[in-house]
Amino acid sequence: MLSSSNFLLLQGLILLLPHHLSFHHHLDAWSLENTLVDGFSTLNFAGRSKCSASLSGFSCRDSSNTRYVPSSKFLQASNVQIRSNTAVFAENGNDPELIIERPDPSILVSSKDAETQKLAFAGICAGLFAGSCLLHALLNGLEIVLPDGWFVTWRDYTWPVPFGLIFSVAGVAHFLLKDAFVPIVPPKGTWGGLWNVPSPGAEALGVSYQEYHCYWSGIAEFGGGWLLMLSGIGLIDVPVQVPAALILLLLVCMTPANIYMFTHDVQMGDKVPPIAYPSGHIGRGVAQMVLFAMFWELAFHA
């Protein structure tokens, strides 16, 4: 919520430059009034407001130093390019290229000594576990607060099929978008030598270590998703707790890939938008804790 001295909060802000421009305009301050083209409210920008590319992506700040991050729709409409901590508006007849500046490698966990990396990995895992326990407790509290039967109905009739569909699609993506998933498989020796998960049969199958773990996890997601959907709608005589528990175990197995993306600033290939550091990873961590809590509830409810 914004105070009266701030300009309107937006998922993005709009600045449409005339399409006949052929030069780059480096923007560091402006005063303007404009109207969004896609149905949002009129934006009044008063005073001097600065835009720049930070570690968490492109952002603007008003006079009260409140930060706003524009949407991809704004970036595409404005042909924004970000280089060297400066917002560049380019009109050259080509599709805009958004470059989000990456963090200084020296601040990453991967730049630390082996023992520090191991401790960081353990600490992140502990934090995810603690957060998941807290969220599961909140779910239990919600069940107590709601009228009898409401929570059970919500859980048993609205969780299995949507979650099953999501995991089935994600499993297919491991094959169709292999180039996005292979880079985030942590190689052996990661985190100061802590990560040494084997890949039995990889050589015989003619696949790399990263491909091996990308493929088996994709198959597991696809199979687990279908099993969850079919059990959820009663087409197979398998309690929904079984596939839910299997997917929960799969989530645990895939967690190191998400941690690897954060500790080593690894991205999912060049066709997937880069994740802002560290805010994007914090959001992914919260989402993962929500999944842990919900699948724990789905798998082990009485």
Side-chain angles (χ1 to χ4, degrees):
M1 184 176 294
L2 301 180
S3 65
S4 58
S5 63
N6 297 333
F7 43 84
L8 180 66
L9 176 59
L10 164 76
Q11 227 190 351
L13 49 106
I14 195 75
L15 182 62
L16 293 176
L17 297 183
H19 285 278
H20 65 272
L21 293 179
S22 61
F23 58 86
H24 286 38
H25 177 65
H26 294 262
L27 179 68
D28 62 359
W30 76 89
S31 177
L32 64 93
E33 176 178 343
N34 209 335
T35 302
L36 288 178
V37 297
D38 53 0
F40 289 104
S41 303
T42 299
L43 299 181
N44 296 310
F45 299 98
R48 296 176 64 82
S49 303
K50 295 184 179 296
C51 281
S52 65
S54 64
L55 294 182
S56 56
F58 183 79
S59 66
C60 296
R61 296 180 185 273
D62 64 4
S63 56
S64 66
N65 207 34
T66 300
R67 179 172 174 272
Y68 306 91
V69 180
S71 66
S72 58
K73 186 177 293 185
F74 157 71
L75 295 173
Q76 293 169 0
S78 305
N79 278 359
V80 175
Q81 297 179 341
I82 299 176
R83 292 190 179 93
S84 304
N85 218 34
T86 303
V88 180
F89 292 83
E91 290 291 340
N92 52 16
N94 299 322
D95 292 334
E97 177 187 7
L98 174 61
I99 302 174
I100 296 181
E101 188 173 330
R102 304 316 305 165
D104 185 340
S106 65
I107 71 172
L108 298 175
V109 172
S110 59
S111 68
K112 311 305 178 184
D113 60 81
E115 291 304 314
T116 300
Q117 291 189 47
K118 293 176 183 178
L119 289 173
F121 179 82
I124 293 171
C125 290
L128 290 172
F129 177 76
S132 301
C133 290
L134 175 61
L135 290 172
H136 185 256
L138 291 176
L139 285 176
N140 288 336
L142 182 61
E143 183 176 8
I144 294 172
V145 171
L146 291 175
D148 289 344
W150 283 29
F151 182 86
V152 173
T153 300
W154 175 49
R155 179 194 63 204
D156 294 348
Y157 292 97
T158 67
W159 291 12
V161 173
F163 276 136
L165 181 62
I166 290 171
F167 276 89
S168 297
V169 172
V172 174
H174 277 237
F175 293 86
L176 298 182
L177 301 175
K178 182 193 74 172
D179 291 342
F181 290 93
V182 167
I184 67 173
V185 176
K188 282 188 176 182
T190 304
W191 301 302
L194 183 65
W195 183 257
N196 278 293
V197 175
S199 55
E203 186 175 349
L205 293 171
V207 296
S208 67
Y209 178 85
Q210 281 80 8
E211 289 173 331
Y212 179 90
H213 289 289
C214 172
Y215 292 151
W216 81 255
S217 59
I219 293 172
E221 281 187 305
F222 182 80
W226 270 98
L227 189 60
L228 183 62
M229 282 192 294
L230 295 177
S231 63
I233 59 180
L235 289 182
I236 57 174
D237 189 20
V238 176
V240 73
Q241 289 94 330
V242 173
L246 292 174
I247 292 178
L248 178 62
L249 179 61
L250 180 62
L251 286 171
V252 173
C253 293
M254 296 192 298
T255 294
N258 294 325
I259 297 177
Y260 178 57
M261 292 180 69
F262 168 68
T263 59
H264 291 65
D265 190 38
V266 175
Q267 302 300 318
M268 298 181 70
D270 57 3
K271 295 183 180 180
V272 178
I275 297 175
Y277 186 98
S279 58
H281 296 286
I282 294 173
R284 286 168 58 88
V286 172
Q288 189 158 12
M289 289 186 289
V290 171
L291 283 176
F292 279 143
M294 296 183 76
F295 272 95
W296 181 270
E297 172 64 26
L298 197 57
F300 297 106
H301 67 269

